[in-house]
Amino acid sequence: MEHWVGTIFGPGHSVHENRIYSLKIFCGEHYPQQRPKVWFSTQIVMNGVDSKTGAVNHEVIAVLRDWKPSYTLMTLLKGLRAEMGSHANKKLPQPAEGSMFESQTRVAQ
């Protein structure tokens, strides 16, 4: 299975608290040796997430930048949730709850 859908419950004590975020995850044929590709389906303002497409930048997000074959999709989701609650992201103004990225019609290119 290469295509996955993930869910993150926003971390407490942040603008993400009580929000539910959906993500699309693509694990290529070389997963877990190679990191997955990740897109937020739910709109989010966060360092390392493209504001137009929801694509997660693997060079910015620590869990992807420092990917290890021993990591799981749960590790990925927990790492993204930790980034959401980080000092740099926890107070950024967010789009209306439930807003979705329009570009989420395809998972992998």
Side-chain angles (χ1 to χ4, degrees), residues 17-48:
E17 187 170 21
N18 297 322
R19 288 185 174 214
I20 300 171
Y21 294 88
S22 296
L23 303 92
K24 292 185 180 183
I25 304 166
F26 176 74
C27 300
E29 63 182 76
H30 299 291
Y31 173 83
Q33 284 70 32
Q34 291 181 352
R35 67 182 149 257
K37 295 180 181 180
V38 184
W39 297 262
F40 274 87
S41 299
T42 308
Q43 282 189 346
I44 186 171
V45 175
M46 181 172 137
N47 294 319

Side-chain angles (χ1 to χ4, degrees), residues 38-40 42-57 61 101 103-104:
V38 184
W39 297 262
F40 274 87
T42 308
Q43 282 189 346
I44 186 171
V45 175
M46 181 172 137
N47 294 319
V49 177
D50 186 283
S51 63
K52 292 183 178 33
T53 66
V56 177
N57 184 332
I61 303 298
F101 283 105
S103 63
Q104 288 304 310

